[in-house]
Amino acid sequence: MSPSIIQVKKLSKSFGDRLVLNGINLVIPEGKITVIMGGSGGGKSTLLRHMVGLTKPDAGSIEIEREDIVRLAPEKMNDVRRKFGMLFQGSALFNSMSVFENVALPLREHTDLSDEIILIIVKVKLELVGLTGFEDFLPHQLSGGMRKRVALARAIALDPKIVFYDEPGAGLDPITASMIDQLILDLSQKLQITSVVVTHEMQSAFRIADQIVMLHKGKVLEVGRPEDIKTSSNPFVQQFIKGEHEGAIPFRQTREAYLKGLLET
Amino acid sequence: MRDFLGNIGSAAGLLLAGVCRLFGLGVRILAVSVQGSPTKRGARREAFVRQMVLCGFDSLPIICLVACSMGMVLALQGAYQLKQFGAVMYTGSLVSVSVARELGPLMASIVIAGRIGARMAAELGTMKVQEEVDALTTMGIDPVRFLVVPRCLALCVMLPCLVIVTDAVAILGGFVIGVMSVGINPDLYLAKSFDALVLKDIYTGLAKSFLFALLIGLVSCHQGLSVQGGADEVGRATTQAVVTSIVLIIVVDCLATAIFYYALPT
Ligand SMILES: Nc1ncnc2c1ncn2[C@@H]1O[C@H](COP(=O)(O)OP(=O)(O)OP(=O)(O)O)[C@@H](O)[C@H]1O
Ligand SMILES: [Mg+2]
């Protein structure tokens, strides 16, 4: 396996008295695609927010290129942040700016490029996500899937070393979703960009992943290559892959458990 | 009794914490504006100009309306009182001095707190809720530098300008009433207005309005950025921004007047 670019060690975080991340250990290899999977509310977005330094953990460390970002001064953190782009689950576009301005913002803020060059770069990035001609639209004039793609264009505007994607395919039609998958693959294979992708879509996960991380109840359940995960003997993992509602993780509880739950609250 | 004292204690603690946070934000703004950033002055200036237009130019109509009414009311009420001493001709002085010293800065700031403070708190709060602020942070763009500084700076530049407009329009309003309704000779009215006015009245008024602008900007941006949660939080922050700004404006006005006119040598 290639050298690691991100190392997460014993990461724990609780919100109130709810332990959301419980001692996560994770190594993200450089230039590869790591897919994080897990149930809804399992702490995937929270894990990503830790990796980009938006949330401080209660315990543990996160090293990006050997630099512990948990204990880094804010100014230094901004230098680290230039290395990565992030696609938020809810897109997080700037609503008062047009599509063009959204994608151009990181370029304008972090580079000295002239306006003509920025225009060209933005056009190229929008082309990549299949949104040519939408430069002058405002985010609220776009559909959810289009917004997601603009956010993707913005995340890769600066050609970052690492890109974090929080559910890039959610809310997209299968064709666009597979186009995004292809884009992530291209970025990783042609430009050696490290990708960390959170997704629920099994198909796309198995297609793009070099490494799959299964997250369950704040813990890493299993890490491995897609083939290993597919043949995993862990019942949780199998249930997740097959998308069954009955299995190791009970969806519909037994009558006794249900009653017990009611009485306890 | 103990509860009561405890409540007062915790309220004072909260107040102190709030003041400290505001102060912290102020220090960050100062640090960011002093160090500046070598790149991209252009984009920054664009945001600054947009904010200036928003809080300055676009506020002109409402500011003029308020100022004019205020001047007229002052002249009417003042003339009525002064008549009892046979001093109607001093109506102009009364209007101009009270407007320049107190009412101009106070009224303009309160209108702007309602108009711009609420706007800023709601805008930043919504951005916070929709993760836009987080997106800025992950891009390595400091939200304070990108969002707060242009807003506060624009307020600090535009509010004193608006106060000058307020003063002028209020004096004009007073003049119209004084001449048309009270029947004072126009030349006399103007002469009395400007005789009574000294430079100190104007510049203390402007200094105060600068302070108020800083207060509005700090309080509103702080409220906006401290939103956690959803739409109701945005609403709460907006109300809180306006209420806190107005209360602070009045309290600081009282302190500033005491300092300018009693503590400092004239
Ligand atoms: N700011 C917060 N305050 C309190 N609780 C939070 C906060 N952020 C997340 N949580 C809790 O942490 C848990 C994990 O949230 P997270 O958003 O990471 O889930 P997720 O795995 O991304 O789920 P999904 O697949 O639905 O996006 C949830 O139970 C959520 O309630
Ligand atoms: Mg999520």
Side-chain angles (χ1 to χ4, degrees):
Chain A
M1 209 98 194
S2 48
S4 70
I5 190 163
I6 306 179
Q7 288 182 317
V8 179
K9 287 178 191 154
K10 296 201 181 113
L11 190 72
S12 291
K13 175 77 181 177
S14 40
F15 290 109
D17 51 5
R18 231 153 20 106
L19 198 55
V20 174
L21 299 179
N22 184 4
I24 302 262
N25 288 304
L26 195 61
V27 174
I28 310 256
E30 184 162 10
K32 301 279 185 220
I33 301 176
T34 302
V35 171
I36 302 178
M37 293 199 290
S40 186
K44 304 181 297 296
S45 300
T46 309
L47 180 59
L48 277 199
R49 289 176 65 88
H50 278 87
M51 288 202 254
V52 296
L54 279 176
T55 318
K56 290 272 172 235
D58 298 337
S61 69
I62 301 163
E63 286 174 20
I64 295 188
E65 295 192 314
R66 314 262 166 292
E67 214 163 6
D68 185 358
I69 61 164
V70 175
R71 282 155 201 91
L72 210 59
E75 310 85 57
K76 287 247 185 78
M77 189 63 216
N78 275 344
D79 295 334
V80 176
R81 284 194 175 115
R82 279 179 211 181
K83 290 182 200 154
F84 48 69
M86 167 133 181
L87 171 67
F88 282 84
Q89 191 167 6
S91 300
L93 293 178
F94 303 116
N95 283 312
S96 53
M97 298 185 193
S98 69
V99 167
F100 172 81
E101 286 171 314
N102 262 289
V103 182
L105 183 69
L107 295 163
R108 283 184 172 157
E109 286 292 321
H110 290 315
T111 66
D112 286 318
L113 300 173
S114 69
D115 284 352
E116 297 84 56
I117 296 182
I118 289 183
L119 185 70
I120 294 170
I121 297 180
V122 172
K123 282 215 151 111
V124 170
K125 301 290 173 189
L126 285 177
E127 166 108 52
L128 271 181
V129 297
L131 280 177
T132 323
F134 286 95
E135 282 88 345
D136 295 328
F137 280 59
L138 285 172
H140 72 258
Q141 295 167 321
L142 301 176
S143 77
M146 287 157 92
R147 255 179 263 158
K148 196 126 224 182
R149 285 186 277 159
V150 176
L152 182 56
R154 185 179 67 181
I156 57 176
L158 278 176
D159 296 322
K161 275 182 92 158
I162 315 170
V163 187
F164 299 93
Y165 306 85
D166 201 344
E167 308 202 2
L172 297 180
D173 62 278
I175 298 172
T176 319
S178 72
M179 195 192 85
I180 300 280
D181 285 348
Q182 193 56 48
L183 179 65
I184 297 174
L185 271 175
D186 283 349
L187 288 176
S188 147
Q189 282 164 2
K190 298 191 182 133
L191 303 172
Q192 265 69 57
I193 289 178
T194 310
S195 307
V196 181
V197 187
V198 167
T199 184
H200 291 302
E201 329 268 324
M202 281 302 134
Q203 258 191 336
S204 89
F206 284 118
R207 188 163 66 199
I208 61 176
D210 293 306
Q211 168 181 280
I212 291 185
V213 179
M214 292 291 301
L215 219 60
H216 183 62
K217 293 204 167 151
K219 286 194 185 246
V220 177
L221 205 60
E222 190 134 348
V223 184
R225 289 172 305 152
E227 305 87 270
D228 304 340
I229 297 288
K230 251 186 204 156
T231 55
S232 163
S233 57
N234 192 318
F236 290 96
V237 177
Q238 281 306 324
Q239 186 192 354
F240 201 87
I241 295 173
K242 302 216 177 87
E244 290 159 342
H245 65 273
E246 299 288 353
I249 310 168
F251 173 67
R252 251 185 265 131
Q253 296 167 328
T254 58
R255 200 166 149 265
E256 288 73 35
Y258 186 70
L259 267 179
K260 192 162 160 267
L262 272 183
L263 291 175
E264 268 172 6
T265 47
Chain B
M1 186 62 196
R2 173 172 268 171
D3 264 8
F4 179 65
L5 284 181
N7 281 344
I8 290 187
S10 68
L14 280 181
L15 188 70
L16 203 67
V19 170
C20 287
R21 280 201 308 267
L22 276 188
F23 196 70
L25 183 62
V27 169
R28 264 181 83 188
I29 292 177
L30 200 69
V32 169
S33 3
V34 168
Q35 85 192 178
S37 115
T39 57
K40 299 304 132 200
R41 285 242 160 254
R44 200 83 18 80
R45 199 173 306 128
E46 199 179 295
F48 176 55
V49 169
R50 193 159 59 205
Q51 291 299 328
M52 289 221 295
V53 170
L54 245 167
C55 82
F57 188 74
D58 293 354
S59 304
L60 274 181
I62 186 167
I63 282 283
C64 288
L65 181 68
V66 169
C68 185
S69 318
M70 184 173 71
M72 288 179 163
V73 164
L74 266 182
L76 275 175
Q77 297 281 21
Y80 175 73
Q81 292 292 328
L82 289 171
K83 201 177 265 167
Q84 299 178 355
F85 306 103
V88 179
M89 64 175 188
Y90 289 106
T91 307
S93 322
L94 182 121
V95 172
S96 64
V97 170
S98 50
V99 162
R101 281 191 180 188
E102 284 299 333
L103 292 175
L106 208 56
M107 277 298 172
S109 308
I110 289 175
V111 169
I112 291 301
R115 219 188 95 90
I116 305 298
R119 191 200 150 91
M120 293 200 303
E123 197 180 4
L124 295 190
T126 312
M127 291 184 79
K128 188 81 194 286
V129 169
Q130 296 180 347
E131 292 187 310
E132 289 179 42
V133 176
D134 289 340
L136 274 179
T137 312
T138 39
M139 283 181 205
I141 303 171
D142 183 2
V144 171
R145 177 173 64 77
F146 189 76
L147 297 172
V148 178
V149 169
R151 285 172 170 74
C152 285
L153 230 59
L155 260 180
C156 288
V157 173
M158 288 324 276
L159 190 54
C161 300
L162 287 174
V163 167
I164 294 179
V165 174
T166 311
D167 291 354
V169 173
I171 289 174
L172 191 74
F175 175 76
V176 169
I177 289 294
V179 171
M180 312 250 289
S181 159
V182 183
I184 306 169
N185 177 295
D187 294 331
L188 184 67
Y189 186 98
L190 281 184
K192 285 290 170 207
S193 287
F194 293 112
D195 278 353
L197 218 50
V198 293
L199 200 58
K200 187 176 177 189
D201 297 332
I202 307 278
Y203 76 69
T204 53
L206 291 185
K208 279 198 288 194
S209 66
F210 178 80
L211 272 183
F212 299 161
L214 209 58
L215 274 179
I216 298 172
L218 277 181
V219 169
S220 308
C221 292
H222 176 259
Q223 284 292 345
L225 286 182
S226 58
V227 166
Q228 305 259 336
D232 60 334
E233 268 289 298
V234 176
R236 191 202 55 79
T238 310
T239 319
Q240 197 66 38
V242 176
V243 172
T244 313
S245 302
I246 292 179
V247 171
L248 279 182
I249 285 170
I250 294 173
V251 172
V252 169
D253 182 49
C254 175
L255 291 178
T257 306
I259 290 171
F260 283 144
Y261 289 95
Y262 295 97
L264 292 182
T266 36

